[in-house]
Amino acid sequence: PPQVSESQPINNGIPKDSGYWLLALAGMDRKVVRWGLNALAQIGSSASISYIKPTLTTYQDDPEIVAAGVAAIYSVTRGYVDEIKELESVDPNFKTLAALQNTDPSKLDLSNISIDIYNADKETLKLALITVGLNRDIENLFHPKFENGAFVRHLGGHDDLIVKQYSVWAIIENYRLSICDLGVSLEQIDQLPDNVQSKAYQLVAAELEDDLLRHDYIVKGTLTATELGREGIAKGILNNFYDGLEEVTLDWFDREESTTVRGVLAEHFSGNTTACSPYQQKALEILEAEPLLKERLLRGAAGTDFYSRLRREVSENETLGLFENYDPNGLQSTISKLQRINKDMSLNILFLSASPEDNDVLNVQSELGAIKEHIKTIESPPRPYELSFAMAARPDQLQAAILNTEPEVLHFSGHGNNQVLSFEDHLGNSKPVDRETFAELIAQFKNIKCVVLASCYSEEIAALLRKNVECVIGTSNSIGDTDAKRFSLAFYRALIAGKKYEECFNLAKVDIKLNGGSEDDANLFKVFA
């Protein structure tokens, strides 16, 4: 390790144990100091306060380190900070914003917070936008009479490029905000600074509702945008697909020179093979031609039917490189057995969705993409898992989908009422399946232990399914897209972490309230177990 002299910051006679060294060695680089504070905020104990306080004093001229230090102090003290004099010199607004990143708002004095977006310094504005982007913002954070989105939109026109960039990032990350809150002119998107352009293109590619305009921006961006801008487009379509997109992306990958952008596109291909069959062949070609993109391909395919095929191709390629003499038939037999064992052990989830054209359009693709991203935040799942999906599901596809995936958990996202669930026909219009027939279908599959009906007025169907299923979740009324998405994200994140069905249900209800929903919103979801 680098040598630390006695004059090095953060000494103050503190014993040189692991907590000391974490920040003392970090003194060589301010960015690493901030990372050290972030680490202590996650894993530190009350004893860590001895290292955090002198760091806060030493780097009082660095707003990013001060923010990380404040957040760390609130975390390790659980919000009890009255006796910490090092916080007295920190601007009250700045201190509250930093604390909001990891502290329950009920433990903070929010009565006097006031952020004047016209006169506040850029560091305070950046921290406010970070709080919004982390979904830790309270309602009316900037002003008691105006929603946060109005101010995020205004800050999109700020003179500081980082503030401008953070405003776009906050919209991407905050589930209550949308492209309607964007304060950046799309007509001049290619004239924006690279970092802002990247986030703006990501938002446009993911959320612009006008499909033709969205497609035009994507095509234009792949040809004219900066490398960061093209990376933003690739991230925007990462978990999204629409008919005709492949005509852009397949050609784009072949001429793209940036390794970073090619990696994101490879992940897009492998993650959307069900929606676009040419993507499967492209992913296999990439695997053979560019082994360094293997992990990106596997990451994208995780939870899809294509994952097993891709994993098998990877295993065979790696095995062939290790052994010169092998028995092809015996090797294939062994691989098949291992795959069967893995499937039996896996937590298999089947995500069915339908958004008929003759009904209100649901952004089910975005919901599925968000679920895939959120469950990846669970670092060490106790069981391997497979997330399979059938988009625009038709009744004539249901049996095959269940037979092929053998799900333990079946999820339906779409329209319905207490009498029917609305699937799609061959033309994309509504095709209802009555509750008795759907319950009879589910009863034939003993492997299904849990059914989640993310559709309006599904309580009675859920009660009927409970006769043959261990746990069923439905809703007692109409539910908004935001609450349905928030419930699903939290439910499956907890499920992947190994929680029981009812625990997942309770955590999902709490998550709705943690993120701005009311008690009534959370209580729309009902569990039958």
Side-chain angles (χ1 to χ4, degrees):
Q3 297 297 312
V4 181
S5 68
E6 289 300 315
S7 62
Q8 187 73 29
I10 325 174
N11 189 346
N12 295 346
I14 299 172
K16 296 181 174 63
D17 59 17
S18 59
Y20 168 76
W21 285 108
L22 179 63
L23 290 176
L25 293 178
M28 310 296 288
D29 185 317
R30 291 193 173 217
K31 181 183 294 184
V32 184
V33 173
R34 192 169 73 250
W35 292 346
L37 289 168
N38 291 339
L40 289 177
Q42 296 296 318
I43 63 174
S45 65
S46 57
S48 304
I49 195 70
S50 300
Y51 314 116
I52 301 172
K53 290 195 296 184
T55 308
L56 202 61
T57 302
T58 301
Y59 295 100
Q60 58 186 314
D61 63 330
D62 189 316
E64 292 186 345
I65 291 181
V66 171
V70 171
I73 286 176
Y74 272 85
S75 176
V76 301
T77 63
R78 301 181 183 276
Y80 299 103
V81 298
D82 293 343
E83 304 298 323
I84 300 178
K85 60 180 177 45
E86 286 79 4
L87 295 178
E88 294 175 359
S89 61
V90 181
D91 175 80
N93 284 331
F94 194 87
K95 178 172 61 177
T96 301
L97 290 169
L100 274 171
Q101 295 179 59
N102 56 19
T103 301
D104 187 334
S106 65
K107 294 185 178 180
L108 301 174
D109 180 7
L110 304 174
S111 59
N112 295 318
I113 187 169
S114 176
I115 305 171
D116 182 351
I117 62 173
Y118 298 100
N119 298 308
D121 63 89
K122 64 181 181 180
E123 298 299 335
T124 298
L125 295 177
K126 284 162 53 179
L127 190 55
L129 290 167
I130 289 172
T131 305
V132 174
L134 293 174
N135 284 275
R136 300 288 301 180
D137 55 318
I138 58 171
E139 293 292 341
N140 306 106
L141 173 66
F142 297 91
H143 194 284
K145 294 184 178 179
F146 297 97
E147 295 182 352
N148 295 343
F151 288 90
V152 173
R153 184 164 55 252
H154 179 83
L155 292 175
H158 198 276
D159 293 337
D160 185 81
L161 298 183
I162 301 300
V163 172
K164 188 189 294 282
Q165 178 191 21
Y166 278 25
S167 74
V168 186
W169 170 80
I171 297 169
I172 294 172
E173 299 297 329
N174 189 294
Y175 75 94
R176 290 189 293 268
L177 302 182
S178 71
I179 198 169
C180 297
D181 300 301
L182 184 64
V184 173
S185 173
L186 295 183
E187 294 179 357
Q188 300 177 328
I189 192 169
D190 281 332
Q191 300 173 28
L192 295 170
D194 291 6
N195 57 345
V196 183
Q197 182 190 97
S198 177
K199 295 301 181 186
Y201 263 124
Q202 182 177 346
L203 189 62
V204 167
E207 293 192 16
L208 195 61
E209 293 184 356
D210 186 323
D211 292 338
L212 292 177
L213 188 59
R214 174 190 183 194
H215 186 78
D216 287 345
Y217 272 113
I218 291 174
V219 172
K220 174 187 174 184
T222 63
L223 297 172
T224 64
T226 63
E227 179 179 339
L228 277 176
R230 297 195 306 277
E231 182 182 354
I233 297 172
K235 288 181 177 179
I237 63 171
L238 184 60
N239 297 310
N240 292 286
F241 179 81
Y242 59 85
D243 289 340
L245 181 60
E246 73 278 12
E247 298 174 6
V248 178
T249 53
L250 294 172
D251 175 66
W252 176 17
F253 181 88
D254 291 338
R255 57 182 164 78
E256 177 60 58
E257 296 180 354
S258 167
T259 302
T260 300
V261 178
R262 289 169 69 85
V264 182
L265 286 173
E267 188 173 339
H268 166 73
F269 294 146
S270 62
N272 291 278
T273 54
T274 300
C276 178
S277 56
Y279 275 3
Q280 180 167 319
Q281 183 58 38
K282 188 64 176 179
L284 294 174
E285 290 175 2
I286 294 171
L287 179 63
E288 182 175 355
E290 301 185 49
L292 292 179
L293 295 181
K294 173 187 67 177
E295 295 302 326
R296 297 302 297 260
L297 291 165
L298 289 170
R299 183 192 306 175
T304 72
D305 292 342
F306 181 55
Y307 182 83
S308 298
R309 167 80 184 277
L310 193 63
R311 182 76 262 180
R312 182 169 66 251
E313 295 285 342
V314 170
S315 299
E316 289 178 353
N317 290 343
E318 292 176 346
T319 304
L320 290 178
L322 289 172
F323 301 101
E324 294 183 1
N325 300 313
Y326 69 99
D327 174 4
N329 294 326
L331 177 61
Q332 185 59 50
S333 175
T334 300
I335 291 174
S336 298
K337 290 178 181 177
L338 290 174
Q339 289 173 339
R340 180 70 255 178
I341 293 172
N342 183 66
K343 188 168 185 178
D344 289 341
M345 293 176 60
S346 292
L347 169 60
N348 297 322
I349 304 167
L350 175 58
F351 186 99
L352 301 172
S353 67
S355 182
E357 294 181 4
D358 56 350
N359 213 320
D360 293 339
V361 176
L362 302 172
N363 196 357
V364 291
Q365 184 81 36
S366 174
E367 180 183 4
L368 176 60
I371 290 173
K372 290 172 65 176
E373 289 302 310
H374 272 254
I375 62 180
K376 289 177 184 176
T377 62
I378 303 302
E379 297 180 355
S380 301
R383 295 170 63 187
Y385 64 87
E386 295 281 349
L387 175 60
S388 305
F389 56 92
M391 312 299 284
R394 304 195 309 263
D396 60 353
Q397 298 173 322
L398 294 182
Q399 289 197 29
I402 298 173
L403 288 167
N404 286 330
T405 59
E406 300 180 23
E408 176 180 321
V409 180
L410 180 71
H411 180 107
F412 174 76
S413 183
H415 294 291
N417 56 50
N418 277 321
Q419 303 300 319
V420 302
L421 296 176
S422 186
F423 290 86
E424 298 186 23
D425 63 17
H426 288 78
L427 298 177
N429 295 317
S430 299
K431 181 70 173 179
V433 173
D434 66 77
R435 61 182 184 178
E436 288 80 10
T437 302
F438 187 73
E440 185 179 359
L441 171 68
I442 299 303
Q444 309 308 310
F445 296 96
K446 303 304 180 185
N447 50 280
I448 297 177
K449 306 298 182 185
C450 176
V451 176
V452 180
L453 300 176
S455 59
C456 300
Y457 301 99
S458 55
E459 180 179 8
E460 292 185 16
I461 301 178
L464 185 62
L465 292 175
R466 177 62 185 91
K467 298 176 182 178
N468 295 293
V469 180
E470 179 180 330
C471 177
V472 188
I473 294 168
T475 62
S476 60
N477 208 317
S478 176
I479 53 172
D481 286 349
T482 298
D483 288 337
K485 183 177 180 180
R486 174 56 58 186
F487 181 91
S488 296
L489 297 182
F491 182 88
Y492 289 106
R493 185 173 57 226
L495 188 65
I496 297 302
K499 297 296 184 181
K500 296 179 180 179
Y501 302 131
E502 286 190 75
E503 293 175 318
C504 297
F505 172 80
N506 292 329
L507 286 169
K509 289 180 61 176
V510 171
D511 203 62
I512 290 175
K513 294 186 286 186
L514 283 174
N515 289 278
S518 67
E519 184 77 29
D520 289 341
D521 293 333
N523 287 336
L524 290 177
F525 295 87
K526 305 293 183 181
V527 63
F528 298 85

